[in-house]
Structures are given as structure tokens and as C-alpha cells.
Amino acid sequence: MEGIVFSVPKGDTMKSKKSTYNRSFWIIAVLVSISGISCSDNTEIKPANPQTDIAALANIKEPVYRDFAEIKRSGVLRMITSYGSGTYFLHRGIQAGFEYELIRDFCKENDLALEVIIIGEGENPYDLLNSGAGDLIAASYTITKEREEVVDFTRPYNMADQLIVLSEGLGLEPESITELSGIPISVRRNSSYYVKLSQLQEEGFDIQINLVADDMDTEALLFQVANGVYGATVADNNFYEASNKYMDGLVKGPVIAENDTIAWAVRENAPDLKNNLNKYLYKHFRFDERGIPKRSAFLNVLRKKYYQGSTPVEDYFSPAVETRKFGGISPYDSLLQVVANEFDLDWVMLTSIAAQESKFNPNSESWAGAVGIMQVLPRFSEIPIESLFDPEINIREGARILKEQMDHYSYMDSISQWQFTLATYNAGPGHVADARRLAMDHNDDPNDWESVSKALLKLMQRKYYQHARYGFCRGIETVRYVSEITNRTNTYEAILALSQNGSDGFPGVLGIKTIN
């Protein structure tokens, strides 16, 4: 899809944005059908048999042991999710999404860094969980008996109705399940929708199930239905309502399941993690004595933001506009790539640092006096402070400082180089030197980041910092800074890899497939 650009004139209404978006997706849908990816005429309509599919949900049946204590010791919670408007996505380089913001708040309360694990093409989320690659699956999963065979679930944090969504091109507006006869309904075999449709078949309803690839999620199917590639699918009502704001061509059909409970999936042998997640969720979602759900103000804000409409979601559903403006992860990708190349730095890492430091705001100023996109401290630069608000100058100056530190640690491997460079960029060379000396005092390796990170935490205690040359250091901030930038870089790279592997698939901020 490179080189195909669609613009939305300034001042257009939401309806015109929907129309522009659907014109752009019509071309995507044509390319999909030409390339033979998930076409309606080469997917086989099959009868369902969910009992034979339970074992197929996961290949790894015995989960590794990593409960809340181990997660706390590591300092990082790893969230497995898909790339989509309701789960996790990038908005102008900044991480967003209903699931992401909710779990980030949990991490903040529990003093944890959050790492996002994007489900890759062909990867199994349950295997990622049980192998220990991640700690929980957060992808708007409905609790089903089949899924409970391979994972455990937290208490619910949302509820949804399953409804049939049809293509406007069919010219039908069925109001009951009995009116669906002869309409192939396209769903994934590994979805809760497939299970419900199978139950309806068993109850005697004339339901035709059209199985599609397991990596085509609800959002992608709605795109396809809106443009006539498929006749019908199933969606949660919140996904349908959010998508329908930005897409023409969808017709709401009958509800086939009411009040499905949505929860996070965890390993069966992680009861403490489940308990801590449940305590958190109880503050935000519970049922009153009449069974009516009660939500916290925070949860209602997230629901309104991601399901009722906001700028990030609007931009997500307008990939042509986003690509025209930015063309990748952030508003400054091209500049960051050029500067990174000049200084022989990793441009994705440089982008992650910019996101951490200023969220790409060139006018940002910190309480400590750091300014601009890379939050350069004027006392460490010969450039006049007013010039440091220029994005190109600021990024170059930040890259220069980072390069000096990378050269200082050139005797280390590349991972350690970046860890120590990031720590120095955040805390300053004096505090890092103090931490390395303290590590040696405890017979630890001063070139090992894990050892030095422990020493940085000790520099928050009087008995250690009173003997340090540069005194007190808020080491927890530096340790978290290194962890969050490293994790974000890994996530950016995963998203870029997906966009390259599946760029002719389905829209999104980067034009990649979503797979929840």
C-alpha cells in the first residue's frame, strides 16, 4: 500500500471521514482479494464441532511458574495483546488503547513497568502465556468453558452482547436468528463467536459458519464486511458501535448472546497474580445486589474514550490520514532516522527515548529545566536554549549526547551499552558512577546492568547515599526509565515487523493486521 495516499479535507464531517475511509479500504480489500488473502470465495464453509477444538487452543498445556512475587522481583509485568483500537495501538508514537491504559494503571499502583507483547502472525496467545513470554492476555476475551480448559480468568471488567453484523450490500435487515438462514457468517475458529454459533447450530438453527484465518480479528472482519468481502460476521456490541462511527456499509443484526463477561487471562498456576488483579478490578467494576454493573469514574472515562469516540480512535480508523501526516511510528520518524544514521544509533531506540522524554512535544519543559523533544539540559549543551526548542536541533543534540555515552561504554555488548547509556542520560554520569562503585563494594559486577540497577535502588537509602560522591539518587526512576524505554523499543520493533509482514492486510495506524 506504499504510495497510495488519501486525504481528508479540513473541516469535513464525521460522515465524510467515514466515506473517505471506506474508499481507501475498498482499494485495500481489492488488493487482498487479488493476492488471495482470506477471500470469501476460497474459504470453506464448515460445520462446527467445538469439542474437537478445545485441545487446539493451546499447544503448551503445562504453564511455567511465574507468579506475582516473581513479577515484582523482575519489576516488569508483560501484557499479551493484539494491535487494535480497543486493545493497544500507537497514536502519533504514543501508546494507547483501552486494555493498555487499564493495565498501565494497575502497574502504576503496584510499582511495575509494563511491557507490551504483540501477538505475532501465526503466534498462539495461550502458548505465549503458558510459556512465560507474557503474564496475562488482555484482548477483550470473553470467558468461555473452552478457554478455561487452558487458562484461568480474572473477575470481569466489562460486559458485552454478541450481535450479528451484516454487509449493507446484502440488502437485508434481519431482526431474529431465524432470518439468518443462507447467510454465511464469517468468524475465527478460536473465537467465542464460533462457540456461540456452534451452540445455535446444535439447538437446530440454520446457521452457516464460514471459517476464516485465526489471525483475522473482529475489527478486521468488520472492515471486510463493511466493504462486501464477507456477508456477515459477529461482534461485541461495543466493537460494533465504535467501528460504526467511522465505517459505512455495516448493518446491525440480531443479538445472539447477552451479557458476556470480559476478563483477563492468566496462567492457571498464578493465583497471587490473579488475586492482585482481582483486587484492582473490584475497585473499577462490580455488580450491585440487583446484578447491575457499577463502574468507576476511571473506567467510564476509558469506555467513553475508546468506544464512544476520541481523536486517537478517529485517527486509528483513518490510516490514510495518519500515514499522510506521519508515515510510521511518530510524527518525526524521517528526522529521527536521518539523525540516528548520522550518529550510528538505533532509530527505533531514539524514537522510544523521545516518546519517554516528551511524548514528541517540541515545547516540553521539565521541572529540572530540560527542554524539547529529547529533553536536553541546557547546561550540557553549547546551543542557546531558545534554539533547543527547534525539533531538528534538539533531536541532533540529544543524539550527540547519547552517542558520547555509547562511546564511553563501547567495551560492553550492545544491550548493556544501551542500558548504561539510558541510565546516564536519565540520572547523569555521576550517579551511575556511584552505583557502579557501590556494586563493586558488594562484590557485584559494575558492568552488569542488573547489579548496577540494584545499586541505584540502594542510593535511595541514607546509609548508602551519605557515602556516595554525588549523594542521593532516586534510583527507582532511573531503573524504570531504562526498563520502559527498552520495553517500548521492543514493542515498536514488533509493530514495525507486523506492518512489513502484513501491510497488505487490514488498516490500522500502520496499516497492519490486528489479531485479538
Side-chain angles (χ1 to χ4, degrees), residues 8-13 16-17:
V8 175
K10 187 175 181 180
D12 274 8
T13 63
S16 66
K17 287 181 180 180

Side-chain angles (χ1 to χ4, degrees), residues 51 89 183 185 193 219 238 265 324 326 329 422 426 439 453:
Q51 293 303 316
F89 64 98
I183 302 173
I185 302 172
Y193 309 139
E219 194 169 88
N238 52 9
R324 174 172 58 84
F326 310 126
I329 293 176
L422 292 171
N426 176 257
S453 65

Side-chain angles (χ1 to χ4, degrees), residues 211-229:
L211 295 179
V212 299
D214 282 346
D215 64 355
M216 186 185 294
D217 77 340
T218 305
E219 194 169 88
L221 276 166
L222 287 172
F223 292 144
Q224 299 279 37
V225 170
N227 290 278
V229 178

Side-chain angles (χ1 to χ4, degrees), residues 17-55:
K17 287 181 180 180
K18 286 175 70 175
S19 298
T20 300
Y21 180 76
N22 278 278
R23 286 196 299 272
S24 67
F25 188 77
W26 181 85
I27 294 178
I28 293 173
V30 170
L31 292 179
V32 170
S33 60
I34 290 172
S35 61
I37 299 175
S38 303
C39 300
S40 58
D41 60 356
N42 63 8
T43 42
E44 183 182 353
I45 298 174
K46 300 179 180 180
N49 187 358
Q51 293 303 316
T52 64
D53 300 321
I54 293 175

Side-chain angles (χ1 to χ4, degrees), residues 257-496:
E258 294 182 327
N259 297 327
D260 278 350
T261 49
I262 310 297
W264 294 328
V266 297
R267 285 181 290 272
E268 292 179 329
N269 61 349
D272 290 341
L273 173 60
K274 177 182 175 179
N275 184 50
N276 279 276
L277 291 170
N278 282 342
K279 287 179 181 177
Y280 171 80
L281 291 173
Y282 183 76
K283 295 186 298 183
H284 296 290
F285 184 93
R286 68 184 79 168
F287 297 97
D288 66 13
E289 62 278 2
R290 294 171 298 171
I292 298 173
K294 300 294 183 181
R295 298 177 176 88
S296 68
F298 174 64
L299 194 60
N300 279 327
V301 167
L302 290 185
R303 283 168 55 82
K304 182 176 181 180
K305 180 177 180 180
Y306 291 106
Y307 295 135
Q308 296 179 26
S310 63
T311 297
V313 177
E314 181 181 336
D315 286 348
Y316 174 88
F317 280 102
S318 303
V321 178
E322 195 75 356
T323 300
R324 174 172 58 84
K325 287 180 178 178
F326 310 126
I329 293 176
S330 80
Y332 297 98
D333 274 10
S334 297
L335 178 57
L336 287 160
Q337 289 169 358
V338 169
V339 173
N341 187 58
E342 288 177 7
F343 289 92
D344 194 26
L345 297 172
D346 181 343
W347 82 271
V348 181
M349 179 69 81
L350 198 62
T351 304
S352 183
I353 296 169
Q356 182 83 13
E357 291 287 353
S358 68
K359 296 184 178 179
F360 305 106
N361 179 5
N363 299 313
S364 177
E365 295 185 64
S366 76
W367 63 269
V371 301
I373 290 174
M374 299 297 293
Q375 288 292 278
V376 174
L377 283 166
R379 69 175 181 270
F380 292 136
S381 174
E382 297 179 359
I383 295 174
I385 185 170
E386 59 272 12
S387 297
L388 287 173
F389 288 99
D390 179 276
E392 183 172 352
I393 293 173
N394 189 280
I395 290 172
R396 277 204 162 82
E397 191 65 358
R400 179 191 65 78
I401 295 169
L402 287 165
K403 178 61 175 174
E404 286 181 357
Q405 296 305 323
M406 288 289 283
D407 290 343
H408 179 75
Y409 298 113
S410 61
Y411 54 89
M412 298 181 178
D413 63 73
S414 60
I415 294 176
S416 298
Q417 254 187 298
W418 270 116
Q419 289 170 327
F420 280 89
T421 293
L422 292 171
T424 304
Y425 196 78
N426 176 257
H431 289 309
V432 175
D434 281 347
R436 297 181 77 190
R437 282 190 288 268
L438 184 57
M440 287 189 288
D441 290 344
H442 286 77
N443 296 317
D444 288 329
D445 184 356
N447 296 328
D448 174 63
W449 171 244
E450 185 175 350
S451 298
V452 174
S453 65
K454 292 177 182 176
L456 279 166
L457 297 178
K458 288 184 172 71
L459 288 176
M460 297 173 63
Q461 302 174 38
R462 178 176 171 77
K463 66 178 180 179
Y464 293 113
Y465 72 71
Q466 67 180 346
H467 302 297
R469 182 176 178 182
Y470 292 91
F472 174 84
C473 174
R474 188 158 176 75
I476 191 170
E477 291 185 356
T478 300
V479 172
R480 185 177 293 136
Y481 178 88
V482 174
S483 178
E484 288 179 351
I485 289 177
T486 302
N487 294 340
R488 185 185 298 105
T489 300
N490 292 337
T491 303
Y492 281 176
E493 289 174 344
I495 291 170
L496 287 170

